[in-house]
Amino acid sequence: MSSEDLEGIPARLAEVKRRIEAAATRAGRAPESVRLVAVSKNKPAEAIRAAYAAGQRDFGENYMQELTQKAEALADLKDLQWHVIGPIQRNKAKLVARVASFVHAIDRVELVTALDKQTEFAAPFLSALVEVNVSGEATKHGVSPDGLGAVLEALGRSTHLRGVGLMTMAPFVDDPELARPTFKALRELRDRHGGAAALPHLSMGMSHDFEVAIEEGATLVRVGTAIFGARG
Ligand SMILES: *Cc1c(COP(=O)(O)O)cnc(C)c1O
């Protein structure tokens, strides 16, 4: 990462926060109801340090080996919270439990079981979001809307995990408006599974579509490129 890219992080972060606030206000929502997860995958630990220095505390990573290395390098940043946002292999459950406060991509009962068996956790409980493939695209990860109930029940039975919401990835399209039906569908699905009282979080929206996601109820937006620049 060039020093120019690194130096631009505080300004880009501030701009993303400004856009989050504007979108929330437009939707009649409190700006504090949207939490920004800065997606730092493929970016060096020093980029995370720069965002942390500018006040950012929630960071998202996809790959466990990368996350483990960064968590070690940044262990001095005590109140930093790690969000695992990518698919999780069962044999990585121990690493996930040890570092993560949030997991966004729970997609099967066996994963809940594997995580719940762990003995060492970074947080008093692991906040878990179930990834749903709302659009039904074969290329997308996540449980089908029909399979969601079983995963939520497993979370309800678990000791160390708390089911706090749903996550989705919108189809990758140029016009962010085309992502709106996917975000709306996730919110409606949440409303059929106990509503915001049971599942307060909706993790949806990335660099190119987070404003639309906020208008549709996102409480966690996962933004990488707009903060850290393009991934090489
Ligand atoms: C990489 C990634 C993001 C961030 O994407 P940007 O377009 O860089 O903002 C968000 N969510 C998930 C699941 C990702 O893998």
Side-chain angles (χ1 to χ4, degrees):
M1 210 171 161
S2 74
S3 62
E4 203 176 299
D5 273 358
L6 211 50
E7 281 159 18
I9 288 172
R12 287 194 298 266
L13 183 62
E15 174 62 8
V16 167
K17 284 195 203 154
R18 189 198 61 73
R19 287 168 59 193
I20 288 173
E21 273 184 42
T25 305
R26 224 169 27 242
R29 300 181 52 199
E32 316 80 69
S33 67
V34 184
R35 189 159 161 181
L36 170 62
V37 179
V39 176
S40 43
K41 64 167 175 248
N42 300 348
K43 298 292 175 183
E46 55 185 338
I48 298 174
R49 246 179 226 290
Y52 183 94
Q56 180 62 27
R57 292 294 178 269
D58 292 285
F59 292 89
E61 291 281 343
N62 293 55
Y63 312 107
M64 285 318 300
Q65 193 184 346
E66 187 182 346
L67 171 52
T68 307
Q69 284 167 359
K70 286 177 183 170
E72 257 171 51
L74 300 167
D76 57 308
L77 307 181
K78 292 295 176 211
D79 52 351
L80 185 160
Q81 300 211 39
W82 293 110
H83 296 241
V84 172
I85 62 171
I88 300 166
Q89 292 167 293
R90 216 179 342 173
N91 63 5
K92 298 284 174 13
K94 181 183 274 191
L95 297 177
V96 173
R98 271 193 192 156
V99 299
S101 301
F102 280 78
V103 282
H104 291 232
I106 299 286
D107 58 358
R108 57 203 191 279
V109 172
E110 304 84 78
L111 186 56
V112 176
T113 312
L115 286 166
D116 202 35
K117 270 195 209 133
Q118 302 309 314
T119 52
E120 218 185 304
F121 286 87
F125 59 87
L126 180 56
S127 296
L129 293 102
V130 183
E131 180 171 5
V132 188
N133 182 355
V134 226
S135 60
E137 279 179 281
T139 53
K140 290 266 184 280
H141 294 282
V143 69
S144 70
D146 287 345
L148 174 59
V151 183
L152 289 173
E153 278 166 28
L155 284 169
R157 286 191 304 269
S158 71
T159 306
H160 303 292
L161 282 71
R162 209 164 282 179
V164 297
L166 306 181
M167 181 273 224
T168 201
M169 306 262 291
F172 213 82
V173 284
D174 286 340
D175 179 2
E177 273 305 317
L178 297 176
R180 190 181 294 276
T182 303
F183 298 147
K184 185 163 179 272
L186 191 72
R187 189 187 67 227
E188 290 171 351
L189 195 59
R190 185 267 299 274
D191 293 342
R192 289 199 293 282
H193 286 272
L199 298 169
H201 283 297
L202 291 174
S203 170
M204 52 191 199
M206 309 183 5
S207 287
H208 68 295
D209 57 15
F210 69 84
E211 285 147 312
V212 174
I214 290 168
E215 288 168 13
E216 294 301 330
T219 62
L220 291 161
V221 289
R222 310 178 309 268
V223 180
T225 311
I227 297 169
F228 295 111
R231 290 178 292 272

